[in-house]
Amino acid sequence: MSELGLTFARLAFLAMLWAFVIATVLVLRRDLRQPADARPAGQVRRRPVKAPKLSRSTKQSKARGSKLVVIEGPLTGTVIPLSTAQVTIGRAADSTLVIEDDYASSRHARVYAAEGSWLVEDLGSTNGTWIDRSRITSPTVLTVGAPLRVGRTTLQLQK
């Protein structure tokens, strides 16, 4: 191979290497950015959100969900009856709802009863727990019919 051909081969290799590095940086940048509507719900408020205090008449008139239903994901149709015990969601074998998903943490979230409502708490998961399109960062009231997303699985509190 001539000296000129070798120089062109080196330059072509260098250009391909830089193209790979730039493509990698662009993909990582896109994956790390969050859309504006996906910002964590707790970033604006400084005080922790507490469960609303309900009077006895409000508790009786407000229908409370009695089951969690998987409406999207590999476990679609799974029904988890709710009682006074908490429900844990994650990949760990001892979770109430075991999700085989790369986007779910071992101990991802928990649902528990407090003051007449069902609360959802993210347990420090990597990809977050979402109600509707808001990421939760503190215990949040789960309303009937609101979609709860853990990884690729979507659950819904139903009556």
Side-chain angles (χ1 to χ4, degrees):
M1 186 178 251
S2 70
E3 187 76 26
L4 184 62
L6 189 59
T7 302
F8 280 132
R10 288 179 183 165
L11 289 175
F13 178 73
L14 187 61
M16 287 187 335
L17 184 64
W18 273 106
F20 175 75
V21 169
I22 290 171
T24 303
V25 169
L26 290 176
V27 168
L28 288 173
R29 184 173 156 224
R30 184 194 66 201
D31 287 347
L32 292 176
R33 280 195 332 201
Q34 291 180 346
D37 61 346
R39 300 251 188 262
Q43 279 187 347
V44 177
R45 290 187 171 177
R46 299 280 186 224
R47 288 179 258 144
V49 179
K50 293 184 180 179
K53 295 201 178 214
L54 302 173
S55 65
R56 184 175 286 283
S57 62
T58 307
K59 285 181 187 177
Q60 292 172 351
S61 65
K62 184 177 179 181
R64 189 173 126 170
S66 63
K67 60 186 174 182
L68 269 177
V69 179
V70 179
I71 59 172
E72 190 176 313
L75 298 173
T76 301
T78 303
V79 177
I80 302 165
L82 298 174
S83 62
T84 55
Q86 71 177 2
V87 174
T88 56
I89 303 168
R91 289 187 319 197
D94 63 343
S95 296
T96 309
L97 179 63
V98 179
I99 299 175
E100 296 295 328
D101 186 355
D102 292 337
Y103 295 101
S105 298
S106 296
R107 290 186 178 30
H108 197 100
R110 72 179 180 130
V111 178
Y112 60 97
E115 297 185 25
S117 298
W118 289 105
L119 296 179
V120 180
E121 179 181 14
D122 184 77
L123 300 175
S125 65
T126 304
N127 294 316
T129 303
W130 301 75
I131 295 179
D132 281 330
R133 297 178 72 173
S134 299
R135 185 174 183 169
I136 63 170
T137 56
S138 61
T140 306
V141 175
L142 182 61
T143 57
V144 175
L148 169 65
R149 190 163 45 97
V150 174
R152 292 182 182 160
T153 302
T154 304
L155 300 104
Q156 189 176 52
L157 180 64
Q158 296 180 355
K159 295 181 187 180

